[in-house]
Amino acid sequence: MSHRRSRLAAAICLALSVAGLSAVSSPAAQAVDKIGTVTKRTGATVSIAASSSGQAVATCRNNETLIGGGAIGDGASTQVVFLRASGPSPSNPRRWVARGFNNDGANPHGLTAYAMCAKSAGNDKIGVIVRSGGAAADLPIGSSGTDTANCRSDERLVGGGAQGTGVPGTSVLLTASAPDPARARRYLAKGFNNNFASPEQLRAFAFCARKANPDRVERVVKRAGAQISVASLNAGTVSASCRNNEKLVGGGVIEDGLGAIGVLLSSSAPHPSNSRRWRASGFNFDGASHTMQAFAFCAKS
């Protein structure tokens, strides 16, 4: 296993085209009426050169509110774009930012970002805000770690994201970005620090709906998909679906590895052909099996 891990580390330590995040800050608060329609906005696919890093973005329109997003890296098996970040932009409240590393040493692959954009309906207003998890979590050298972001007691969790830090050649790679299975108002991010020289940081973001006038918040429920086991050195794909009377507003994926490199995510995004389904994929670089499970955030019609 150490040989496999060192190969991944060596590939990722090649010169990258885009530097990692040096700091992660919270996007500005924003408000929207009660959700009427949710539109998936697809950003331009960015080609990432072999053994390099790149960024893709997707943006909501001026009359829409960003309530979530996702990203898909192209490729197969280990020769794929792994996600370094999939979360709200710190500077643009309508933009979703995805960063990825192309682990294929010979061929370019694409990275695509998706923004889940809400339009208002009627006069039932809610406030949609973004909270960071406070101080970013420190991830020790060559280790995994977690960070969380919490909605307040008078708010509902409707989505979230994750961003890691790093410099060219080293970065945090995401292993989970999902609602916490045990806490209704908490969003969870997990990542592996591929920097074998110094600690890096990971930060979770939570999208939280809060009451306004009149005092009503649209019901958003968390739907869990089937949990699967991903064998060592194998790929896995999971999905979760909203019901027929619900609309997909976001989603995420979680795996059970903490002390090991675990399942590196290559995608976590709305399904390309099913408007009510969230789908995620990854590759297990660990010597042991790990479980994966997808979640869908679903708004009642």
Side-chain angles (χ1 to χ4, degrees):
M1 183 57 229
S2 60
H3 175 66
R4 293 281 184 157
R5 185 177 297 182
S6 63
R7 285 178 57 191
L8 176 69
I12 294 178
C13 286
L14 294 175
L16 304 187
S17 60
V18 177
L21 295 172
S22 58
V24 184
S25 58
S26 301
Q30 50 187 317
V32 64
D33 293 339
K34 182 173 178 290
I35 298 169
T37 60
V38 177
T39 303
K40 177 182 71 176
R41 301 291 180 197
T42 304
T45 298
V46 175
S47 179
I48 302 179
S51 301
S52 295
S53 183
Q55 174 178 295
V57 299
T59 306
C60 296
R61 296 178 179 175
N62 290 339
N63 62 340
E64 297 172 336
T65 298
L66 179 73
I67 60 173
I72 293 179
D74 293 338
S77 187
T78 61
Q79 309 304 296
V80 66
V81 174
F82 291 111
L83 301 182
R84 298 174 55 203
S86 183
S89 168
S91 59
N92 187 327
R94 294 193 306 274
R95 179 170 292 171
W96 191 265
V97 176
R99 290 185 173 91
F101 172 77
N102 181 7
N103 197 50
D104 189 338
N107 303 292
H109 290 293
L111 175 66
T112 308
Y114 300 85
M116 304 300 287
C117 306
K119 273 192 173 181
S120 62
N123 297 315
D124 293 323
K125 294 181 180 296
I126 63 172
V128 176
I129 58 175
V130 179
R131 298 193 191 285
S132 76
D138 291 323
L139 274 58
I141 295 170
S143 297
S144 295
T146 66
D147 189 47
T148 59
N150 295 283
C151 296
R152 297 177 180 176
S153 59
D154 61 338
E155 298 168 341
R156 293 181 182 176
L157 181 70
V158 298
Q163 295 182 1
T165 63
V167 297
T170 55
S171 61
V172 172
L173 299 172
L174 300 183
T175 59
S177 177
D180 191 319
R183 299 288 294 272
R185 293 191 298 272
R186 176 175 291 175
Y187 198 85
L188 173 70
K190 298 165 75 174
F192 174 76
N193 178 13
N194 196 61
N195 188 339
F196 286 81
S198 65
E200 293 294 345
Q201 293 186 320
L202 173 70
R203 179 166 288 174
F205 295 88
F207 284 83
C208 307
R210 186 166 55 183
K211 295 178 181 178
N213 290 315
D215 59 350
R216 178 179 176 183
V217 178
E218 182 169 40
R219 185 182 177 196
V220 175
V221 296
K222 178 179 65 179
R223 302 288 184 202
Q227 187 179 81
I228 70 167
S229 178
V230 183
S232 171
L233 304 179
N234 275 268
T237 297
V238 290
S239 64
S241 298
C242 297
R243 296 176 180 175
N244 290 340
N245 63 337
E246 298 169 341
K247 48 183 173 277
L248 181 73
V249 300
V253 57
I254 193 168
E255 57 94 60
D256 65 352
L258 259 185
I261 187 171
V263 180
L264 296 184
L265 298 181
S266 55
S267 70
S268 181
H271 194 284
S273 60
N274 188 323
S275 62
R276 294 194 302 272
R277 180 175 296 172
W278 193 268
R279 186 175 68 177
S281 299
F283 188 89
N284 182 9
F285 278 93
D286 196 17
S289 296
H290 290 288
T291 61
M292 286 181 70
Q293 187 173 28
F295 295 87
F297 283 109
C298 307
K300 290 282 191 179
S301 301

